[in-house]
Amino acid sequence: MINDELKVLVVEDSPVVLKVLNHLLSQNPKFVPVLCACYEEAKAKIENASMTFFAAIVDLHLPDAENGEIVDLVLSHQIPCVVLTGNFDDYQRLNLLNKGVLDYITKDSRYSFNHVIKVIDRLRKNQDVKVLVAEDSSTSRLFIKILLEQYRFKVVEAEDGREALAKLEEDHSIRMLITDYNMPHINGYDLVRMLRHNTRFQDLVIIGLSSEGDSSLSAKFIKAGANDFLKKPFYHEEFNCRVVHNLESQEMLETIRELANIDSLTRLKNRRYLFDDGEKMFRKAMPNASFAMLDLDHFKKVNDTYGHVVGDALLQAIGQEVLAHFPNLLACRFGGEEFCVAADESVESLMPKLEAFMDSIRVKEFTEAKIHVTFSIGVCGGEFSSLDDAIRIADDNLYRAKRLGRDRIVTD
């Protein structure tokens, strides 16, 4: 689990650069910048027992430590370190990266500062990313593990393809597989093919490795379904770039997919998600399933009286109420001012939650206009053959609730 606040040590003698980094870090609510202008000030902060640093951004040349001593100090306390310097020196860059510095960035443009923040934020995200390393060589496996842990990834190890497959089957939280080609029992290529034939692993990021000289092996791996391929031996800077690039590409795809299933106004799941993934959940829960349609009473009057901006603000607030009252159920915006709850539980279990929702809504004021609202709810909890059938029955009961005077729950 990621901490609520992460202290980032910034050691920089330029007041302008210090101000820029402080501003950029402060834009992310997860980070708390701790600013130092010299080596001694940074040393005092680091040795303060009450302070634990998530990462450090340091300048190499400080007034009281001109030869990069700050890097050794930070690394000696196991604090991940990013070097931000005004001078590019390739020999120095390689030396620092070999010491364990995360990145070596020159202050040559605004992009440089944004890149520093991106590295630190990626480090934060990596804490929740589990990577499986399948490699029969213990030396190689340890080397890869050290590289990954340096960037805060959680690492799981497997000695061969068979063990890797077993660990992937038992641990659904593994998001990336790094696999060698030449392994006993199941080689890396066959492992990739087996995984890609299983839809459960369609989002697993896979990077293949091999020290063999066959130039067609990379194409073979990628055609089998791997996201990328690296030839051993590789330099650790390239390794990290490939890992991060492939992970971010997959995260972007997941974000796009998620956006397709989320209602942009209320942030609830949308109607499309209900009829795709919700259908599977509902079918699995039958016959111990129930369904409710929730309609905001007199919503047209709100738009006519206060305008659509206030109407949208009301729907946003109601969306949060729906989410809060049905956290473990599938709550969706069905359309307009209509919401729904698909429950993998009986109607007897759902009804008290709906009543608590109604009681809570009645006593609240919403938006700056202090609007009071009520709901009409139709529930399906009897016999039905599908999600479509349950929606039809709940909808009929909803209209009965409207005809009976609104602000009530009607069930069959």
Side-chain angles (χ1 to χ4, degrees):
M1 175 65 70
I2 296 175
N3 296 329
D4 288 335
E5 287 188 344
L6 303 170
K7 290 184 176 67
V8 179
L9 180 68
V10 183
V11 190
E12 171 62 63
D13 64 324
S14 164
V16 175
V17 173
L18 208 60
K19 187 175 181 180
V20 169
L21 290 173
N22 181 50
H23 172 70
L24 292 174
L25 283 167
S26 298
Q27 288 182 320
N28 189 323
K30 297 288 184 181
F31 296 138
V32 177
V34 178
L35 310 179
C36 300
C38 64
Y39 178 91
E40 286 301 324
E41 191 180 347
K43 184 179 179 185
K45 297 283 188 186
I46 290 171
E47 292 177 352
N48 183 341
S50 66
M51 300 194 86
T52 301
F53 290 102
F54 173 70
I57 302 168
V58 304
D59 185 14
L60 280 181
H61 309 297
L62 300 168
D64 54 347
E66 296 183 356
N67 299 308
E69 293 90 346
I70 187 65
V71 173
D72 295 321
L73 173 68
V74 168
L75 292 178
S76 70
H77 286 80
Q78 286 78 52
I79 302 171
C81 179
V82 177
V83 169
L84 185 61
T85 179
N87 301 311
F88 182 82
D89 183 320
D90 200 44
Y91 173 78
Q92 187 177 63
R93 181 183 71 86
L94 291 173
N95 182 45
L96 289 169
L97 289 170
N98 285 328
K99 274 188 177 184
V101 164
L102 294 177
D103 212 337
Y104 179 97
I105 301 165
T106 53
K107 309 170 192 171
D108 53 10
S109 69
R110 177 173 175 78
Y111 174 77
S112 302
F113 298 109
N114 289 330
H115 182 61
V116 171
I117 306 305
K118 183 180 176 183
V119 171
I120 300 297
D121 196 43
R122 183 69 254 175
L123 205 63
R124 176 186 68 84
K125 292 175 182 175
N126 290 350
Q127 294 179 106
D128 280 345
V129 177
K130 195 176 288 187
V131 182
L132 173 62
V133 179
E135 166 67 76
D136 60 325
S137 163
S138 58
T139 304
S140 230
R141 196 167 65 248
L142 178 62
F143 174 64
I144 295 168
K145 181 183 179 184
I146 290 170
L147 289 182
L148 290 167
E149 288 181 340
Q150 181 180 330
Y151 290 91
R152 295 291 179 98
F153 289 104
K154 295 177 181 176
V155 181
V156 180
E157 300 176 67
E159 295 183 1
D160 56 52
R162 184 188 296 168
E163 186 182 357
L165 195 58
K167 291 198 172 182
L168 285 165
E169 289 284 359
E170 71 186 28
D171 189 346
H172 294 194
S173 66
I174 294 172
R175 290 180 54 195
M176 175 180 281
L177 166 67
I178 297 174
T179 177
D180 188 33
Y181 168 62
N182 194 6
M183 296 187 295
H185 306 304
I186 302 173
N187 67 41
Y189 169 73
D190 288 336
L191 177 61
V192 173
R193 289 180 65 240
M194 292 168 72
L195 291 170
R196 290 311 193 210
H197 277 91
N198 187 332
T199 55
R200 189 166 78 75
F201 299 112
Q202 65 176 356
D203 291 333
L204 180 71
V205 178
I206 303 176
I207 299 177
L209 305 173
S210 180
S211 57
E212 297 188 11
D214 186 352
S215 60
S216 67
L217 192 56
S218 60
K220 188 177 178 183
F221 254 95
I222 290 169
K223 286 179 179 178
N227 300 81
D228 208 343
F229 181 86
L230 269 171
K231 195 172 185 308
K232 297 189 291 187
F234 48 80
Y235 191 62
H236 66 257
E237 192 174 19
E238 180 190 9
F239 174 79
N240 178 59
C241 287
R242 296 286 189 94
V243 167
V244 169
H245 172 75
N246 283 285
L247 194 58
E248 289 182 343
S249 294
Q250 186 59 44
E251 287 171 350
M252 191 177 297
L253 285 173
E254 289 171 4
T255 300
I256 292 169
R257 191 183 303 146
E258 183 71 9
L259 287 173
N261 292 321
I262 294 289
D263 175 61
S264 59
L265 182 64
T266 63
R267 310 309 300 167
L268 293 172
K269 297 294 186 184
N270 59 20
R271 186 170 179 154
R272 172 179 173 170
Y273 183 88
L274 174 69
F275 285 106
D276 290 345
D277 292 49
E279 172 77 43
K280 299 170 193 171
M281 179 277 288
F282 202 73
R283 193 183 308 121
K284 189 183 292 186
M286 289 169 59
N288 292 317
S290 51
F291 189 88
M293 294 290 291
L294 298 74
D295 191 89
L296 195 56
D297 292 330
H298 304 297
F299 180 68
K300 185 178 183 301
K301 187 185 291 185
V302 173
N303 279 336
D304 291 344
T305 305
Y306 301 101
H308 289 279
V309 172
V310 173
D312 285 351
L314 175 60
L315 290 174
Q316 285 178 319
I318 292 297
Q320 292 307 302
E321 291 289 332
V322 171
L323 194 61
H325 280 84
F326 308 101
N328 301 316
L329 305 178
L330 177 54
C332 305
R333 183 185 181 193
F334 198 77
E337 68 272 26
E338 205 165 33
F339 301 83
C340 66
V341 176
D344 53 353
E345 58 187 40
S346 69
V347 69
E348 289 79 16
S349 178
L350 178 61
M351 284 296 287
K353 297 174 184 176
L354 292 169
E355 288 163 358
F357 170 76
M358 294 276 275
D359 291 340
S360 174
I361 291 293
R362 288 186 187 109
V363 298
K364 290 185 177 179
E365 295 178 333
F366 295 96
T367 78
E368 293 180 359
K370 300 187 182 304
I371 300 169
H372 289 273
V373 298
T374 59
F375 265 89
S376 297
I377 299 178
V379 180
C380 170
E383 293 185 8
F384 51 88
S385 58
S386 65
L387 177 61
D388 283 337
D389 198 24
I391 291 171
R392 180 185 57 76
I393 295 168
D395 209 36
D396 287 344
N397 287 331
L398 169 63
Y399 281 103
R400 282 177 58 205
K402 293 281 187 185
R403 289 195 300 272
L404 290 169
R406 296 182 169 84
D407 189 19
R408 69 192 64 226
I409 303 172
V410 172
T411 186
D412 48 306

